[in-house]
Amino acid sequence: MNKRYTKKTFVLEVFAILLALIFLVPFYFVIANSLKGFSEILIDAAALPSEWLFSNYVKVWEILDFPRAFFNSLVITVFSNIGLVVISSMAAWKMVRTPGNFSKILFVIFVSAMVIPFQTVMIPLVKLGGMLGIMNSIPGIIIMYFGFGVPLSLFLYHGFVKTVPIEVEESARIDGCSQFGLFWRIVFPLLKPITVTVVILNTLWIWNDYLLPLLVLQDGSLRTIPLATSSFFAQYTKQWDMGLAALVLGITPVVIFFLFLQKHIIKGIASGSIK
């Protein structure tokens, strides 16, 4: 029995390693070709660079004004995350702690919004944004991310809040804690696992998003990293050497961020799914 189990485990581990290598193949192509000249990419995209052209990264840094694009992406991602965490956590807590038909209907409406494709609302969104005067501005796109990100964030918080013992809140109320203090001093610190999960998932989405910034941010000085990178892939121009170097620069911060915090994703989602 032990031998069979050991053999089965070994086979599964080998399969997992092979599967991981398959998923890493695209990363190899991106990184390897970002260090080649354009002609060498066309000759053999799978080979290692004959000459490691780190100058590609220097050129991309200057052409894209990368610090500005990085700053725009960072501001949008950080403030969008702050708003999504605050709005979703408070709303989910209130829905769970005030059970009733209204809370149930409201929760169903938010969850239903998760299945609506962005393409179906993007034209009305642009018209509404123009009427409100929030087009072509970083605060405007942050507000839009609030609207698109709240359903999933609220859904995750809603499941996790159910695991928080209500006795802790009742004790705080007896001690004279206000409603506002009760949430921020008692409840919110207990939501740390799912908060980290929400931040990671929304960061990966917002940082890499292309379509919404394309519709909203028309000014070149407001371009995010995905928008700036797309300039290397115009209709008649395919600068693969520059474009791939720009991709590596763009994904490096978020990959590092994800690797440091990935363990919290499973922990947070698993904790929220108990109920």
Side-chain angles (χ1 to χ4, degrees), residues 19-232:
L19 189 63
L21 291 175
I22 292 173
F23 279 102
L24 288 174
V25 168
F27 287 94
Y28 164 77
F29 276 96
V30 171
I31 295 173
N33 289 304
S34 69
L35 296 167
K36 297 178 182 178
F38 182 74
S39 59
E40 189 176 356
I41 294 176
L42 296 179
I43 294 172
D44 190 355
L48 287 171
S50 58
E51 180 182 358
W52 299 77
L53 298 178
F54 292 98
S55 58
N56 288 348
Y57 290 90
V58 178
K59 293 177 183 177
V60 166
W61 187 279
E62 296 173 351
I63 294 172
L64 296 185
D65 191 8
F66 189 81
R68 180 184 291 275
F70 177 84
F71 177 77
N72 292 337
S73 291
L74 185 64
V75 169
I76 292 171
T77 303
V78 169
F79 283 96
S80 296
N81 268 306
I82 292 173
L84 288 170
V85 167
V86 171
I87 296 169
S88 303
S89 61
M90 295 180 70
W93 175 65
K94 194 64 177 177
M95 287 182 189
V96 172
R97 294 301 185 238
T98 54
N101 291 332
F102 179 75
S103 294
K104 291 179 181 178
I105 293 172
L106 196 60
F107 179 68
V108 169
I109 291 173
F110 275 106
V111 173
S112 300
M114 294 169 55
V115 301
I116 300 176
F118 174 74
Q119 291 78 3
T120 62
V121 298
M122 62 182 185
I123 295 177
L125 176 68
V126 171
K127 291 183 177 179
L128 180 61
M131 293 171 56
L132 297 176
I134 59 175
M135 295 294 290
N136 200 30
S137 70
I138 288 180
I141 195 172
I142 290 174
I143 293 172
M144 293 180 187
Y145 277 127
F146 290 169
F148 287 110
V150 162
L152 176 60
S153 301
L154 186 143
F155 175 75
L156 295 174
Y157 272 116
H158 193 276
F160 194 90
V161 169
K162 293 179 181 179
T163 68
V164 177
I166 195 171
E167 292 79 10
V168 177
E169 300 176 30
E170 292 173 346
S171 299
R173 286 194 180 95
I174 293 173
D175 292 337
C177 189
S178 65
Q179 191 82 342
F180 185 83
L182 173 64
F183 178 76
W184 291 110
R185 296 180 183 178
I186 307 300
V187 177
F188 189 73
L190 298 176
L191 302 179
K192 180 181 176 182
I194 197 64
T195 297
V196 175
T197 301
V198 168
V199 169
I200 292 174
L201 295 178
N202 286 328
T203 296
L204 294 175
W205 160 50
I206 296 170
W207 186 274
N208 295 312
D209 189 27
Y210 173 78
L211 188 53
L212 185 58
L214 178 65
L215 294 172
V216 177
L217 304 177
Q218 306 299 326
D219 192 338
S221 63
L222 300 178
R223 293 189 306 177
T224 59
I225 290 177
L227 286 183
T229 303
S230 67
S231 63
F232 291 113

Side-chain angles (χ1 to χ4, degrees), residues 241-262:
D241 50 343
M242 298 290 103
L244 293 174
L247 285 175
V248 174
L249 285 176
I251 67 175
T252 297
V254 75
V255 167
I256 294 173
F257 174 79
F258 175 78
L259 291 177
F260 273 107
L261 298 179
Q262 62 175 329

